[in-house]
Amino acid sequence: MRYLVTGGLGFIGSAFIRLLAAERPEVEIVNLDAMTYAANPANLASIAENPRYRFVKGDITDPAAVTTAIGEGVDAIVNFAAETHVDRSILDPEAFLRTDILGTHTLLEALRERRIARYLQVSTDEVYGDVESGESLESSPLRPRSPYSASKAGGDLQVLAYRTTYGLPVLITRGSNTYGPYQYPEKLIPLFVTNLIDDQSVPVYGDGLQIRDWLHVEDHARGILCVLERGELGEVYNIGGGNPRTNLDITHRLLAGCGRSFESHVRHVADREGHDRRYAISSAKAHALGWRPEIEFERGLEATIAWYREHESWWRPLKSGEFLAYYQRQYAHR
Ligand code: DAU
């Protein structure tokens, strides 16, 4: 068996590759990654020398790179490659359309030309948009409200259209907010933890009462593997953590974990434009396949804080150069 994983140097993709290497030793892994700002070879240092692992530097929008990565053939493609940060999509939408829609299209075209048993598109609960009450089902309408989520929804729709039109063997997972080790420090949890370790303030958008459903990255990776192996072709599966928390709740936990106080370290700043108030998904369909999140949230969050404390050498170099320019652009005016 050989799997092509795209975006495998990123946060969730690298967790998936580590999981495959540990639990599916029979699977050869090809990792196609464009090495954009959020990719980090250090995420896969533990398996870089594994003879069943091969790295190809390339962009999923480039058919030649996809052909090189597929080589003599693969049994499955799992597409993690994406632009993923909502705030960046508000500043610069174009890269999101390119990678998340066109990149998906390039992979689907490669799938059309070859015999590949399974294609899994890693998507997001954000495609359902703001959920005032209740939970989104896989059949719920897509109402994306940011350039990021609209791009991901565009990718999902392409995948489903290729199923209908060409009968391709596709699956989609829609995950909820993911946290854990190796997450680029622009997202809420790693940004706040690393700022607090450095005795800096943390920027809470608006009233901080927005709700996200938190899922540990290892549970997310296991959910994707479960759907890849057991999901029904043509189907969509929500992968939610079942841990709805307000951003303020998360902030309080991070402050406590880092020994900082709310008064001295929290800055209320202007809200994100078009900010979705709440995401909530039902994961009953994935549960029926046998997947459940295993990492209890409070324990997972404590372990994550400890990981960032113990791995300064991983994140400190990231919070310079490109990141500082972005941080300035994103937060200076707020
Ligand atoms: O729901 C799944 C999605 O979760 C993924 O598809 C996205 O790729 C991922 O980035 C994440 O999207 P969010 O926009 O929810 O994540 P983020 O970490 O950017 O923000 C989480 C919440 O925290 C959100 O309500 C905005 C708020 N926030 C975020 C940042 C970076 C702040 O209050 N201050 C901040 O500085």
Side-chain angles (χ1 to χ4, degrees):
M1 295 282 272
R2 188 178 303 132
Y3 293 174
L4 170 59
V5 177
T6 67
L9 292 181
F11 172 49
I12 309 176
S14 66
F16 182 76
I17 289 182
R18 292 192 300 273
L19 175 71
L20 277 184
E23 295 190 9
R24 299 290 183 276
E26 72 281 10
V27 175
E28 285 179 24
I29 306 160
V30 183
N31 175 10
L32 173 65
D33 195 296
M35 299 195 75
T36 60
Y37 76 94
N40 191 341
N43 299 1
L44 289 180
S46 60
I47 69 140
E49 302 303 318
N50 185 325
R52 294 186 154 290
Y53 171 74
R54 180 165 73 94
F55 177 71
V56 177
K57 182 174 184 303
D59 195 312
I60 57 165
T61 59
D62 174 7
V66 173
T67 299
T68 303
I70 291 174
E72 291 180 359
V74 294
D75 299 286
I77 298 178
V78 187
N79 180 27
F80 290 91
E83 292 291 337
T84 67
H85 194 39
V86 175
D87 291 328
R88 284 190 195 251
S89 83
I90 294 168
L91 293 175
D92 284 318
E94 198 182 313
F96 290 73
L97 272 72
R98 212 172 324 110
T99 303
D100 302 0
I101 301 177
L102 252 185
T104 300
H105 163 76
T106 306
L107 293 172
L108 290 170
E109 283 296 307
L111 196 67
R112 259 181 86 188
E113 289 161 13
R114 296 171 179 83
R115 286 172 62 87
I116 296 174
R118 294 199 153 217
Y119 173 94
L120 188 146
Q121 175 81 351
V122 178
S123 186
T124 167
D125 64 358
E126 295 202 13
V127 296
Y128 300 117
D130 195 37
V131 185
E132 228 170 80
S133 59
E135 294 180 329
S136 307
L137 299 172
E138 290 81 353
S139 55
S140 297
L142 303 191
R143 295 205 174 97
R145 291 162 23 99
S146 72
Y148 160 66
S149 53
S151 302
K152 289 300 286 183
D156 284 18
L157 292 174
Q158 289 300 314
V159 171
L160 295 173
Y162 271 60
R163 172 73 182 166
T164 306
T165 308
Y166 306 111
L168 295 189
V170 300
L171 298 145
I172 297 176
T173 57
R174 295 190 179 135
S176 67
N177 274 66
T178 305
Y179 73 99
Y182 302 105
Q183 187 170 28
Y184 188 81
E186 64 187 352
K187 305 281 171 88
L188 177 75
I189 289 179
L191 175 68
F192 280 23
V193 174
T194 54
N195 276 12
L196 292 172
I197 291 173
D198 274 352
D199 204 9
Q200 311 232 320
S201 64
V202 293
V204 171
Y205 294 164
D207 63 8
L209 295 177
Q210 305 84 0
I211 294 176
R212 298 291 184 267
D213 171 13
W214 293 95
L215 171 67
H216 194 278
V217 67
E218 287 163 19
D219 280 329
H220 195 163
R222 284 192 311 97
I224 290 167
L225 184 59
C226 172
V227 171
L228 180 68
E229 292 178 340
R230 291 186 231 154
E232 198 178 313
L233 294 180
E235 293 294 313
V236 179
Y237 294 87
N238 290 341
I239 310 269
N243 299 298
R245 299 285 189 280
T246 64
N247 293 339
L248 274 184
D249 180 292
I250 299 289
T251 304
H252 279 292
R253 288 171 197 277
L254 299 178
L255 287 163
C258 295
R260 309 288 186 199
S261 80
F262 193 91
E263 292 66 33
S264 56
H265 282 78
V266 171
R267 206 158 45 90
H268 278 282
V269 301
D271 208 348
R272 175 183 278 174
E273 295 88 341
H275 200 169
D276 288 336
R277 199 76 186 154
R278 175 175 176 265
Y279 302 132
I281 48 178
S282 162
S283 306
K285 207 167 150 185
H287 294 172
L289 291 182
W291 171 80
R292 297 261 165 182
E294 288 171 9
I295 301 175
E296 193 252 327
F297 180 65
E298 278 68 30
R299 198 165 52 77
L301 192 63
E302 273 170 30
T304 300
I305 297 170
W307 189 89
Y308 283 94
R309 277 185 180 290
E310 288 156 16
H311 292 79
E312 286 198 18
S313 60
W314 181 85
W315 59 263
R316 205 167 278 292
L318 303 179
K319 290 190 94 172
S320 62
E322 192 276 346
F323 178 87
L324 285 185
Y326 161 75
Y327 200 73
Q328 187 67 14
R329 201 171 158 212
Q330 185 62 252
Y331 293 96
H333 67 281
R334 286 197 133 99

